Amino acid sequence: MAELILHRGKERSLFKRHPWLFDTAVARLSGHARPGDTVTVQSADGRPLAKAAYSPHSKIRARVWSFDVTTTIDHAFFKRRVAEAVARRAALPELAGQQGLRLIHAESDGLPGVIADKYGDTVVVQLTSAGADKWRAAIVAALQKATGCARIYERSDSEVRGLEGLEPVTGWLHGAAPAGEIIIEEHGVKMAVDIVVGHKTGFYLDQRDNRRLLAGFSAGRRVLNCFCYTGGFSLQALAGGAASVLSIDSSQPALQQAAANLALNPQLAAARAHDVEWRAANVFDELRKLKAVGESFDLIVLDPPKFAPSASHAERASRAYKDINLLACKLLTPGGLLMTYSCSGGIGLELFQKIVASAAIDSGRTARIVKRLQGSADHPVDLAFPEGEYLKGLLLQVD
Ligand code: SAH
């Protein structure tokens, strides 16, 4: 096995159990390793420190599989790690019975570059690192064993694969396409999940708890759901008794799916048909238009896409977050609620709160935090890997 030798002092992040080794920390590779091969990471003075997956094309030159150098990285290793991740979810009562569930949350489950989401008896995997790509067969066999699922589909078409020198890969790895749509139930609402062309693995499972929270605040309110995707927040608002729901997204296919999702729930569709609108628009423009025509809402959700994938995009992203939050504050009735999120890795919690605070001030309103929001429990954050905490949100009462 090849050895990845670090520069002096660069072993410190490993002592804090951070799983990434950047190219700048690496002095040299001793021996030969192909992309994804397991290497032993060594300090400058020759101490073995970890077993990691080598990725010569990426700035993240290696990702640690194990901080115990006696661990063998083989099929049995993946069987154990996958089974542990599945067991971790099974041990949390709040996740019991969820039809849509993240089974593996990459680094935070000790499996860098591995995402696995379950929709009923279908599992969708996304492999985003050279190491994960190399161990595809082991990961798939382990998922099959741990879940007994009927089928496994691969959605490794995320852009980040390019940084690892990997081509997009999609297709069935186990079983075959189901006869009809894949439909999950979330808090009593049916949602179709398009695992082939939908975003991520098909659905934003990370917002599950927050969608339920929204339902609890929706009764009698006029709701505006910005960046609605397939209508997850919109349908929960209707289930919670919203007076009306206007949903905005720039993606026509997403809006079509959202309308179809409403139709899957006749209990919501029948009662509310005249108060529900799916509007295809750019949120930045549409919020301005709504303000210009004197519209107002009692509850606004802002769940935009990742404006800042990394810290280098933070400045431009900050302006975008400020813009939509400022407009949303202006559109709220006094005492209205704003549920606002950032899923940008490059914008930390503290910065996000500052941006929203300055938006509130510039809108001339006073906003108070009712609750801080985060991803659901099937998206755990390993304390040693703060990068795992990408989703942050605030529920604000705006006077
Ligand atoms: N809240 C959703 C997930 C939102 S994902 C849920 O719970 O399922 C972000 C969405 O924003 C995507 O559907 C994308 O199509 C949309 N989007 C991205 N940029 C946009 C823009 N400028 N205006 C409107 N929608 C946009």
Side-chain angles (χ1 to χ4, degrees), residues 342-363:
S342 163
C343 62
S344 293
I347 304 266
L349 179 61
E350 212 176 316
L351 175 56
F352 182 59
Q353 188 171 320
K354 272 189 191 152
I355 295 167
V356 178
S358 94
I361 287 173
D362 287 7
S363 73

Side-chain angles (χ1 to χ4, degrees), residues 55-283:
S55 188
H57 302 293
S58 174
K59 279 194 175 161
I60 304 175
R61 190 53 43 89
R63 293 170 197 251
V64 173
W65 289 127
S66 177
F67 294 97
D68 175 356
V69 284
T70 66
T71 306
T72 306
I73 310 304
D74 56 6
H75 277 250
F77 168 82
F78 288 97
K79 202 167 146 190
R80 278 197 311 276
R81 284 276 161 100
V82 169
E84 283 162 9
V86 171
R88 221 168 269 134
R89 276 108 185 127
L92 295 175
E94 64 185 287
L95 295 176
Q98 286 299 342
Q99 294 174 7
L101 190 69
R102 173 149 296 191
L103 298 173
I104 303 176
H105 191 44
E107 276 78 353
S108 290
D109 279 306
L111 289 166
V114 183
I115 298 285
D117 290 339
K118 171 180 115 82
Y119 302 111
D121 55 5
T122 301
V123 171
V124 184
V125 287
Q126 189 166 72
L127 308 174
T128 59
S129 66
D133 193 79
K134 164 131 194 152
W135 289 100
R136 174 181 287 100
I139 292 162
V140 168
L143 276 165
Q144 226 172 299
K145 173 107 174 83
T147 65
C149 63
R151 55 189 79 84
I152 301 179
Y153 186 74
E154 177 167 12
R155 263 307 289 281
S156 300
D157 54 358
S158 155
E159 273 176 25
V160 295
R161 273 176 71 92
L163 303 175
E164 299 269 324
L166 300 167
E167 297 290 326
V169 178
T170 58
W172 291 98
L173 297 172
H174 165 64
E181 283 184 304
I182 295 174
I183 294 172
I184 58 164
E185 200 171 292
E186 186 185 76
H187 319 312
V189 170
K190 289 196 173 71
M191 300 289 295
V193 179
D194 191 332
I195 62 167
V196 176
V197 303
H199 296 177
K200 307 220 277 186
T201 65
F203 195 62
Y204 290 86
L205 290 167
D206 51 358
Q207 291 284 26
R208 183 194 313 110
D209 293 356
N210 297 323
R211 286 189 285 259
R212 177 165 40 202
L213 183 72
L214 181 85
F217 282 108
S218 294
R221 294 189 194 252
R222 286 169 302 142
V223 177
L224 172 63
N225 181 16
C226 299
F227 310 97
C228 69
Y229 187 49
T230 59
F233 280 106
S234 310
L235 297 200
Q236 287 302 328
L238 287 173
S244 66
V245 182
L246 170 60
S247 306
I248 304 173
D249 202 283
S250 53
S251 158
Q252 278 290 1
L255 291 169
Q256 272 161 22
Q257 184 70 74
N261 283 340
L262 178 58
L264 281 177
N265 295 275
Q267 79 282 13
L268 305 180
R272 307 278 170 192
H274 55 290
D275 298 317
V276 178
E277 186 188 338
W278 309 105
R279 192 175 291 180
N282 180 330
V283 165

Side-chain angles (χ1 to χ4, degrees), residues 17-19 88-89 92 102 104-110 206 373-392:
R17 300 225 155 199
H18 194 283
R88 221 168 269 134
R89 276 108 185 127
L92 295 175
R102 173 149 296 191
I104 303 176
H105 191 44
E107 276 78 353
S108 290
D109 279 306
D206 51 358
L373 308 168
Q374 58 182 29
S376 308
D378 48 345
H379 296 61
V381 181
D382 181 339
L383 280 175
F385 183 68
E387 291 86 346
E389 193 169 18
Y390 63 100
L391 182 64
K392 67 243 21 142

